[in-house]
Amino acid sequence: MDSQQEYVLRTVEEQDISFVRLWFTDILGTLKSVAVAPAELESAFGEGIGFDGSAIEGYSRISEADTIALPDPSTFQLMPSSTEPHTARMFCDIAMPDGQPSWADPRQVLRRQVRAAANEGFTCYVHPEIEFYLLKTLNTGGLRPEPTDNGGYFDQSVNDLAPQFRRQAIQALESMGISVEFSHHETAPGQQEIDLRHADVLTMADHIMTFRFLIKQVAIANGVAATFMPKPFAEYAGSGIHTHISLFEGDINAFHDPDDEYNISSTARHFIAGILHHAPEISAITNQWVNSYKRLMFGNEAPPAATWGVSNRSAMVRVPTYRPGKVESRRVEVRSPDSGCNPYLAFSVLLAAGLKGITEGYTLPEPAEGDVSALSRRERFALGYTELPTSLDQALRLMEQSELVADTLGEHVFEYFLRNKWREINDYQSQITQWELKTNLHY
């Protein structure tokens, strides 16, 4: 038993923990949990916890249902006493009975990309800006939801239904070791943003899953509800997860070059070029819902094309210039992913695309200037910009042809994801909408 496992067992005893929740996700990024009693922890570290993998979306067939959850002691945290007293959680890696990593586990998919980056000498760090909506209720019967306030960008909320929400949410996050940099009201009524301090990419994916859980719990405690749906309102902005990425070689930021006009290195340029080149084929992963493409097509500050720019918030990839001389802060911001993505898979394909750009030496085009979203499709085409998919249907067709996505996800996740999403497309397209009835019924 290693020191981290011993720390977990000692803390569980000292803190009088009654239950330990073992967390993992399915392929779509839905959080799953198995609760174990403290007496079972030692054997869980040694042998894992067996469960029926056929009951989890995309994990296994009935004929190969036995699956093992292996707790990762480095992720052990006490749950906030305000939400779940005397409870702790750990994330798990999923394995098969023979001990081999499960090809269906999104966390294992990201682990493979972490190793691929390490083989090139890099450690990847991520700092996300996570947007979401607070609503009066999620039980709308399919009708338009109602936001909790009428605030706008950076408004100080005092008269809404949950004026202390962000303070309580940050306290809950910090209590679980998730550091918060900023929080503020976003541009639309009820829309919030909380930015997490950077961490290595696997830890950050775990943080985002914890973030979603805690945000929903704090919202419920305030008598409201939270949603990470990409675009719940036609007239308001969608919710993105703007993802700041940097690569370090040891203690050195591989993206910084003091002699470059934008202070970005050739490594950063190749990385950006890789993301832009592969952006259309990875979009089904970074924007996985039918609703995601209503954000990309009609959302404020959501990128319609694979472009990059310096401090240009309409570009898909932005090079921030807050502190041009600060070496450790040099990073790139990818603005296309939305808050409804599976962070393990989304970070995997972004990292894979960027690394491909580095290893293959992709050339970065000239930066976009002006508001890319304000241009017509014809104008973007004339400027040589590659359009992002305008629908999940189109994104899946591009993904089906992508060797990069297939290699990154592995055969099992790749095939299951496609099957699941084509079923979603079929269900969506088969419905008769109110718009159709209003527009076509008189014919």
Side-chain angles (χ1 to χ4, degrees):
M1 181 171 293
D2 64 29
S3 58
Q4 285 185 324
Q5 294 171 348
E6 291 176 350
Y7 166 77
V8 170
L9 295 175
R10 185 172 63 253
T11 303
V12 165
E13 182 177 359
E14 291 174 351
Q15 297 293 327
D16 193 26
I17 299 301
S18 301
F19 295 99
V20 178
R21 301 195 182 279
L22 306 183
W23 282 3
F24 54 98
T25 71
D26 66 12
I27 287 175
L28 300 182
T30 304
L31 185 64
K32 304 294 181 179
S33 177
V34 176
V36 298
E40 302 298 320
L41 269 185
E42 189 167 350
S43 63
F45 284 137
E47 303 172 4
I49 297 292
F51 68 97
D52 181 3
S54 66
I56 307 298
E57 282 285 311
Y59 262 55
S60 57
R61 297 181 290 269
I62 292 292
S63 59
E64 51 186 37
D66 291 339
T67 311
I68 308 296
L70 299 170
D72 180 349
S74 70
T75 66
F76 176 83
Q77 286 287 347
L78 302 180
M79 299 295 291
S81 58
S82 59
T83 59
E84 292 195 64
H86 303 290
T87 305
R89 74 94 167 96
M90 280 184 286
F91 280 94
C92 294
D93 292 311
I94 306 302
M96 303 309 293
D98 62 2
Q100 292 298 309
S102 168
W103 287 97
D105 180 11
R107 202 166 188 262
Q108 299 280 23
V109 172
L110 184 52
R111 277 196 185 278
R112 292 199 299 271
Q113 284 309 304
V114 169
R115 288 194 292 268
N119 289 339
E120 299 297 327
F122 299 121
T123 302
C124 179
Y125 292 92
V126 171
H127 148 57
E129 302 173 356
I130 309 172
E131 298 170 340
F132 57 95
Y133 275 91
L134 287 182
L135 307 174
K136 291 185 177 179
T137 180
L138 300 181
N139 300 318
T140 67
L143 301 178
R144 182 185 184 277
E146 189 174 354
T148 56
D149 63 71
N150 291 313
Y153 205 48
F154 286 116
D155 278 358
Q156 176 64 48
S157 299
V158 292
N159 296 318
D160 62 22
L161 291 182
Q164 302 300 319
F165 169 82
R166 286 200 304 274
R167 179 178 63 83
Q168 294 170 8
I170 291 170
Q171 288 174 339
L173 291 165
E174 296 274 1
S175 77
M176 293 194 68
I178 300 175
S179 298
V180 174
E181 277 200 338
F182 307 107
S183 74
H184 60 84
H185 197 289
E186 254 295 334
T187 182
Q191 192 178 34
Q192 317 293 323
E193 177 178 310
I194 297 179
D195 303 352
L196 304 185
R197 188 174 295 279
H198 70 273
D200 71 88
V201 65
L202 181 59
T203 297
M204 185 54 72
D206 291 341
H207 282 354
I208 291 172
M209 296 308 303
T210 305
F211 178 97
R212 288 176 178 163
F213 176 84
L214 290 178
I215 290 298
K216 288 178 177 289
Q217 291 293 309
V218 174
I220 290 171
N222 279 268
V224 297
T227 180
F228 294 92
M229 181 179 180
K231 200 171 193 301
F233 297 98
E235 69 272 36
Y236 299 143
S239 292
I241 181 167
H242 301 155
T243 304
H244 296 248
I245 306 174
S246 57
L247 296 182
F248 275 69
E249 295 175 294
D251 295 329
I252 299 173
N253 189 339
F255 280 0
H256 183 77
D257 181 354
D259 298 322
D260 179 81
E261 61 178 320
Y262 307 126
N263 296 129
I264 56 173
S265 66
S266 59
T267 297
R269 289 175 176 274
H270 294 320
F271 188 89
I272 297 170
I275 289 178
L276 297 182
H277 180 83
H278 294 287
E281 68 203 74
I282 68 175
S283 288
I285 303 298
T286 58
N287 307 86
Q288 69 167 332
W289 305 104
V290 166
N291 180 255
S292 297
Y293 295 84
K294 297 184 178 181
R295 169 182 169 261
L296 289 181
M297 289 186 68
F298 305 110
N300 299 343
E301 295 188 357
T307 60
W308 79 284
V310 180
S311 297
N312 186 345
R313 295 180 184 275
S314 71
M316 177 187 156
V317 180
R318 185 176 79 96
V319 177
T321 56
Y322 299 122
R323 306 177 185 90
K326 192 173 181 181
V327 175
E328 59 269 27
S329 69
R330 181 59 52 230
R331 60 193 186 274
V332 300
E333 176 190 359
V334 186
R335 298 177 61 82
S336 52
D338 61 50
S339 294
C341 70
N342 179 336
Y344 299 101
L345 300 187
F347 291 167
S348 294
V349 295
L350 287 173
L351 184 53
L355 291 174
K356 184 78 169 179
I358 293 172
T359 57
E360 299 292 329
Y362 288 2
T363 300
L364 186 64
E366 289 298 310
E369 297 180 357
D371 187 351
V372 178
S373 300
L375 301 174
S376 68
R377 297 187 70 183
R378 181 176 294 181
E379 289 171 327
R380 291 195 291 266
F381 178 80
L383 290 169
Y385 300 157
T386 300
E387 293 287 298
L388 293 178
T390 57
S391 68
L392 181 59
D393 182 301
Q394 184 185 5
L396 292 175
R397 295 183 190 280
L398 294 169
M399 175 180 160
E400 283 181 323
Q401 303 169 31
S402 173
E403 290 185 12
L404 178 120
V405 178
D407 290 344
T408 301
L409 301 186
E411 181 180 359
H412 184 101
V413 174
F414 183 77
E415 292 296 336
Y416 175 80
F417 187 92
L418 286 169
R419 286 199 306 272
N420 180 284
K421 289 302 170 179
W422 279 123
R423 186 166 64 245
E424 180 184 336
I425 287 288
N426 182 71
D427 291 345
Y428 176 72
Q429 292 179 334
S430 65
Q431 69 176 327
I432 307 301
T433 66
Q434 289 183 344
W435 184 92
E436 290 170 281
L437 292 172
K438 185 168 62 176
T439 306
N440 302 139
L441 192 61
H442 67 280
Y443 278 101

